[in-house]
Amino acid sequence: MAEINIGTKILSNTNILSIVERLNIKSLRRPAKKNVLWAYTDGSMSGDQLAYASSAMLISQTGLPKLIVDTKPAGEKTTSSTAEINAVSLAINEAFAQGFDQLIIFHDAEMLDPTYATKKMLENPEHPAYLYFQQLKSLANTMNVTFAKIKGHE
């Protein structure tokens, strides 16, 4: 049985499938092609703004879904966008490490899609999203990354 370590909590395959159900993924559809990875990403800040969490549910043509969760203390310049960006970066890093040719990111934050990026985001190294967009740019010849906006919180 595969296990995933999330902080100090270990989740078994059974727990992962129940998380899939709680995330409102109605059916466990899979990509039609072997070299494609789907990633459902999300990020959020804690109520007291002292920490943030990012997650990516990864679904490939075969195998069980993989859930990656990352929590970090919030810094002075941390925003909810930081958590959303980190979630996508988790998915990109995993897709790259596993050798996928295509990554489809399902997200609820429009600013993650480079087609909506402002000039400031793309060109100003001080902007929180700058490194994220540089990471996407560096993958251009390696992996096809597509963004699909889905309905977020109700």
Side-chain angles (χ1 to χ4, degrees):
M1 179 183 295
E3 294 181 333
I4 294 176
N5 187 354
I6 299 178
T8 57
K9 186 173 182 180
I10 303 291
L11 296 181
S12 68
N13 290 340
T14 307
N15 297 123
I16 293 167
L17 290 175
S18 69
I19 288 170
V20 170
E21 291 165 6
R22 282 185 295 200
L23 288 174
N24 267 339
I25 300 173
K26 301 289 184 209
S27 63
L28 194 55
R29 292 183 45 228
R30 296 181 179 279
K33 297 180 181 175
K34 232 175 17 177
N35 61 342
V36 177
L37 182 65
W38 288 352
Y40 290 85
T41 64
D42 202 9
S44 63
M45 295 284 292
S46 63
D48 56 13
Q49 304 290 303
L50 296 177
Y52 68 92
S54 307
S55 63
M57 174 67 73
L58 307 172
I59 301 173
S60 63
Q61 191 182 49
T62 59
L64 286 171
K66 181 175 184 179
L67 178 64
I68 301 174
V69 176
D70 186 30
T71 58
K72 295 185 176 167
E76 186 178 305
K77 295 182 179 181
T78 303
T79 66
S80 58
S81 296
T82 307
E84 297 283 355
I85 288 169
N86 190 52
V88 172
S89 291
L90 292 171
I92 288 170
N93 292 339
E94 186 66 21
F96 186 75
Q98 302 236 356
F100 284 94
D101 296 331
Q102 183 176 10
L103 172 63
I104 301 174
I105 297 170
F106 297 92
H107 63 94
D108 65 356
E110 194 170 76
M111 59 80 54
L112 295 172
D113 188 334
T115 58
Y116 294 101
T118 64
K119 186 175 181 177
K120 184 178 179 181
M121 290 174 164
L122 296 172
E123 297 177 2
N124 181 358
E126 298 297 315
H127 193 281
Y130 175 80
L131 290 176
Y132 163 73
F133 287 113
Q134 291 300 310
Q135 180 186 27
L136 287 178
K137 195 174 176 180
S138 72
L139 290 171
N141 296 325
T142 311
M143 181 189 327
N144 180 4
V145 180
T146 307
F147 291 84
K149 174 110 172 47
I150 57 175
K151 185 177 178 178
H153 310 280
E154 295 181 19

